[in-house]
Amino acid sequence: MEVPFIDLDIQYEEIKNEIKPVLENIYKKGDFILGEEVSQFEKEFADYCGVDYGVGVNSGTDSLFLALKAFDIGEGDEVIVPAFTYAASSLAISYTGAKPVFCDIKEDSYNINPELIEEEITDNTKAIMVVHLYGQAADMEPILEVADKHNLKIIEDCAQAHGCLYRGTQIGTNGKEQINTDKERKVGSFGDVGCFSFYPTKNLGSFGDGGMVITKDKEVRDKLRMLRNYGRKDKYHHVDIGYNSRLDTVQAAVLRVKLNYLKEWNDERKKNAKLYNKKLSSVQDVITPTEKEYSRHVYHVYALRIKNDGRDKAVEKLKDNGIGVIIHYPIPLHLQPVYEDLGYKKGDFPVSERIASEVLSLPVYPGIKEEQIDYVVKVIKQIVHSS
Ligand SMILES: *Cc1c(COP(=O)(O)O)cnc(C)c1O
């Protein structure tokens, strides 16, 4: 049996009859960049997340970069970011000239450990970039508290967490307004901005690159609109060194159709994750993911941990048996060659380092069949029992 890591054709089959006429219409109108569909999708996606404004941009990476620029973060500034995330999170910080300052994660959620944030704060710290890794919300309540106390911006990297919900227990504040964390709300609506990627394999993916920043702040929205479009205020007045980072109309049209399916697809990911959890619950050396009480996980990634140095062998055996498996991510960011000059060393973030050596991601995409899940489980059991 073959089990690919992801099968996008299953999604396409479900939506193709809706997509084709919409695309045909765009081709005929020739309205390719920042067209009508873009502003409609910006409204619809912001609304879906429970905030007022969305600004469509070129990619998830650019959504983070432009959000940092919108807060004038750059040379001399520091931004706190988890050591265990995809490299795009910290690269976006580096593009601005600011310094990424890494922070360790929690062993159970794989997200930033709120208790460790404060010791990373200096006079130069301007923001915390929170990543909702794998589709599980980071614990926002204590993070909002630290940010409020030190007057820091919160940038949420939601690239893996479209539709994920978070619920705390109290009423927090982010400096300007009260945040009712005791009500369940979508990630991206807690911080100053929420940043999304629509890379094709994300939970909500386009037919190319795409991204969006969502915000409740009209001024931030206006700044982002300017930054994504050559820094211009109107056609010929350039008031800032802006960029070319726009969401194109075709992607927005695809995303508008797919947004209607997001809940169904997220529910399916969750159902698949629960099947794996059940079938793998008592297998030795295997740790299944934990869904925290404050988070409604959307399983962009189903990350399994294999204890006792068994991960690399397991990956090899899964591949040999026709199973698509990926490691998200084998090297924590503080140990990446690109960040050598920041002076971090092995042992600085022990939890990130250990998790990076134990995780592997199994296929969990909407449309995977239960027989395929059973086959993956069977192979995993063979691997651990033969070791
Ligand atoms: C995918 C991803 C990004 C980058 O998004 P792109 O659209 O590929 O630029 C950023 N952060 C995280 C956590 C991601 O998973």
Side-chain angles (χ1 to χ4, degrees), residues 114-115 117 139-147 166:
E115 285 165 29
I117 292 175
D139 193 4
M140 291 310 294
E141 209 163 75
I143 298 170
L144 285 162
E145 254 163 53
V146 181
Y166 173 84

Side-chain angles (χ1 to χ4, degrees), residues 63-355:
S63 72
L64 296 164
F65 168 63
L66 296 176
L68 292 157
K69 293 294 285 183
F71 296 131
D72 292 317
I73 290 169
E75 203 81 46
D77 297 331
E78 295 176 4
V79 178
I80 295 170
V81 61
F84 188 67
T85 171
Y86 185 53
S89 310
S90 64
L91 289 176
I93 299 169
S94 302
Y95 298 161
T96 69
K99 185 171 124 185
V101 172
F102 298 114
C103 183
D104 213 354
I105 55 164
K106 297 248 318 181
E107 159 114 38
D108 54 358
S109 66
Y110 312 141
N111 280 321
I112 196 164
N113 185 341
E115 285 165 29
L116 301 177
I117 292 175
E118 210 154 19
E119 62 196 58
E120 304 296 346
I121 295 175
T122 72
D123 290 346
N124 297 324
T125 310
K126 291 284 155 30
I128 305 168
M129 186 181 285
V130 180
V131 184
H132 305 293
L133 199 71
Y134 298 158
Q136 162 135 274
D139 193 4
M140 291 310 294
E141 209 163 75
I143 298 170
L144 285 162
E145 254 163 53
V146 181
D148 188 29
K149 186 169 155 199
H150 297 272
N151 196 22
L152 306 176
K153 297 287 181 202
I154 292 184
I155 292 158
E156 294 183 67
D157 180 343
C158 310
Q160 303 189 358
H162 315 71
C164 169
L165 291 153
Y166 173 84
R167 170 187 214 148
T169 53
Q170 307 161 23
I171 301 198
T173 157
N174 75 351
K176 271 178 274 162
E177 53 149 355
Q178 284 212 323
I179 298 276
N180 290 41
T181 47
D182 62 336
K183 290 207 182 59
E184 197 169 58
R185 293 188 358 198
K186 299 258 168 53
V187 297
S189 68
F190 293 92
D192 294 274
V193 285
C195 300
F196 290 85
S197 163
F198 304 120
Y199 184 79
T201 59
K202 307 284 183 180
N203 287 31
L204 180 63
S206 48
F207 286 180
D209 275 314
M212 191 179 294
V213 186
I214 60 166
T215 180
K216 287 160 266 179
D217 188 328
K218 198 169 180 181
E219 270 177 46
V220 173
R221 178 203 66 180
D222 292 342
K223 184 107 196 249
L224 286 163
R225 282 184 175 173
M226 185 191 65
L227 285 170
R228 75 170 167 186
N229 205 11
Y230 313 122
R232 69 188 203 187
K233 195 175 72 189
D234 52 46
K235 197 159 179 157
Y236 296 113
H237 289 89
H238 298 268
V239 293
D240 207 333
I241 300 177
Y243 304 86
N244 175 348
S245 179
R246 301 168 301 214
L247 184 63
D248 69 66
T249 316
V250 165
Q251 305 314 333
V254 170
L255 291 162
R256 287 188 76 198
V257 172
K258 284 196 177 188
L259 183 56
N260 296 321
Y261 292 82
L262 181 57
K263 182 165 189 313
E264 177 194 313
W265 290 338
N266 279 347
D267 286 349
E268 239 192 281
R269 285 175 180 275
K270 181 158 222 155
K271 187 193 79 192
N272 298 335
K274 283 192 167 157
L275 282 174
Y276 276 126
N277 284 347
K278 198 170 104 216
K279 293 170 198 277
L280 290 166
S281 66
S282 54
V283 180
Q284 66 172 34
D285 286 341
V286 161
I287 300 177
T288 54
T290 310
E291 182 171 359
K292 300 298 294 177
E293 66 289 352
Y294 52 71
S295 163
R296 291 231 221 146
H297 208 314
V298 293
Y299 292 98
H300 174 61
V301 165
Y302 182 88
L304 195 72
R305 279 162 63 195
I306 312 281
K307 302 292 285 180
N308 295 321
D309 297 325
R311 194 268 311 273
D312 292 341
K313 200 189 89 190
V315 168
E316 205 180 297
K317 287 271 171 67
L318 284 160
K319 283 185 180 159
D320 289 348
N321 283 280
I323 295 164
V325 53
I326 296 183
I327 300 174
H328 300 97
Y329 300 92
I331 306 171
L333 297 183
H334 66 290
L335 301 178
Q336 291 286 356
V338 64
Y339 288 128
E340 224 168 64
D341 59 346
L342 294 180
Y344 290 101
K345 59 186 186 315
K346 213 166 172 197
D348 284 343
F349 303 112
V351 183
S352 297
E353 290 167 28
R354 184 151 39 79
I355 302 302

Side-chain angles (χ1 to χ4, degrees), residues 23-35 249-250:
L23 293 185
E24 187 71 21
N25 193 32
I26 295 170
Y27 303 153
K28 278 197 184 134
K29 273 205 299 192
D31 182 18
F32 291 120
I33 304 286
L34 290 181
T249 316
V250 165

Side-chain angles (χ1 to χ4, degrees), residues 275-276 279-280 283 323 372-382:
L275 282 174
Y276 276 126
K279 293 170 198 277
L280 290 166
V283 180
I323 295 164
Q372 292 177 301
I373 290 177
D374 284 336
Y375 174 66
V376 175
V377 168
K378 192 182 90 186
V379 173
I380 288 175
K381 285 182 175 167
Q382 278 167 4

